[in-house]
Amino acid sequence: MLFQNLKTYFREHGAAFFCSVFVGIIMIAPQIIFIINADSGYNGLPILKTDAEVQYVSRMKEFLDNRGNGSPYSYEDRNTISTFNTISEAILASPALIFPINVVQLNLFYKFFFPALIFLLAYHFLLKVLKDKRWAIVGALAILLGQNLTSISDIFNLIKLNPVYYNFLSYSRPIHPEFSSVFFFLLSKFIYITFHFSIKRKQIKRGF
């Protein structure tokens, strides 16, 4: 039954699935190239280039070390609840409690997994709204990969074939928006379905 459902899904939304894998590869590609490049100077620590990435990964490491919500920066405050930490860091770090993997490797995996998942969620939400698979794919790609199209300087650099970027794409940033966007698009689809159902119910009542 499960295999049949998956087969049906891939037949109907195969293009969207392959685009989601493409998005995940785009997000993680700079890290993989840096790791496998013999001249990069890689010594176990990947590029932490997105905004506040060091802080988020540090909080995940703190949860693994002390099983708590303490400060990852101060030894004296390690047993004091930190107001900066959220449950998200604990959730994302939890697989390392079961599997032989560290937070750096987890963070690297999430850079592929979450953008791919967010693409599919955005695609299905836009498909509900637009009723067109092609435009839903275009919209989801724009959400995940179109960040630089909102910057005038980046657009000019792209036109001049001189792309100069100082940060990775936003959806490779851990926790927010990498993790929080999963709930955002799930909630968006739920609100749309609920609103649409409410309108249909009112129309049915008026018909009677």
Side-chain angles (χ1 to χ4, degrees):
M1 185 65 178
L2 176 61
F3 177 77
Q4 186 62 35
N5 290 337
L6 288 174
K7 187 176 179 181
T8 302
Y9 177 85
F10 283 118
R11 185 168 59 247
E12 295 181 359
H13 307 288
F17 176 79
F18 285 112
C19 284
S20 72
V21 174
F22 170 75
V23 167
I25 291 173
I26 288 293
M27 296 293 181
I28 200 175
Q31 302 284 357
I32 299 300
I33 292 171
F34 174 67
I35 290 171
I36 65 176
N37 187 351
D39 299 324
S40 67
Y42 174 73
N43 287 306
L45 189 65
I47 307 170
L48 302 175
K49 193 62 177 175
T50 59
D51 180 42
E53 186 168 0
V54 173
Q55 287 84 346
Y56 285 127
V57 175
S58 298
R59 293 169 194 169
M60 292 168 62
K61 183 69 165 59
E62 172 64 23
F63 172 78
L64 291 179
D65 289 344
N66 297 311
R67 306 294 191 273
N69 196 31
S71 170
Y73 313 113
S74 172
Y75 180 81
E76 290 77 10
D77 297 326
R78 68 190 185 283
N79 295 321
T80 303
I81 294 178
S82 172
T83 56
F84 293 100
N85 291 7
T86 67
I87 193 173
S88 300
E89 287 91 342
I91 293 173
L92 294 182
S94 294
L97 298 174
I98 304 171
F99 302 103
I101 189 172
N102 58 47
V103 292
V104 173
Q105 295 165 334
L106 265 178
N107 185 46
L108 199 60
F109 169 71
Y110 290 148
K111 286 182 183 298
F112 170 83
F113 175 74
F114 279 118
L117 176 61
I118 292 166
F119 175 90
L120 289 176
L121 293 174
Y123 162 76
H124 283 289
F125 168 65
L126 292 172
L127 185 59
K128 278 285 183 184
V129 177
L130 302 175
K131 313 297 184 186
D132 187 292
K133 293 180 182 179
R134 289 171 297 181
W135 282 112
I137 290 175
V138 170
L141 285 172
I143 290 172
L144 273 294
L145 303 179
Q147 168 192 341
N148 298 105
L149 299 179
T150 62
S151 169
I152 300 299
S153 59
D154 286 343
I155 292 173
F156 278 122
N157 284 330
L158 188 61
I159 293 172
K160 293 185 293 184
L161 300 179
N162 182 35
V164 179
Y165 306 119
Y166 299 98
N167 288 297
F168 291 147
L169 292 168
S170 295
Y171 282 90
S172 66
R173 181 179 188 252
I175 311 296
H176 307 297
E178 191 180 75
F179 185 55
S180 58
S181 293
V182 172
F183 300 97
F184 172 78
F185 284 107
L186 284 173
L187 182 60
S188 297
K189 186 174 180 180
F190 174 76
I191 291 173
Y192 178 82
I193 292 173
T194 303
F195 180 72
H196 197 63
F197 176 75
S198 177
I199 292 175
K200 279 191 173 182
R201 189 171 59 180
K202 290 178 180 179
Q203 290 173 344
I204 292 171
K205 285 182 178 179
R206 288 173 184 170
F208 285 109

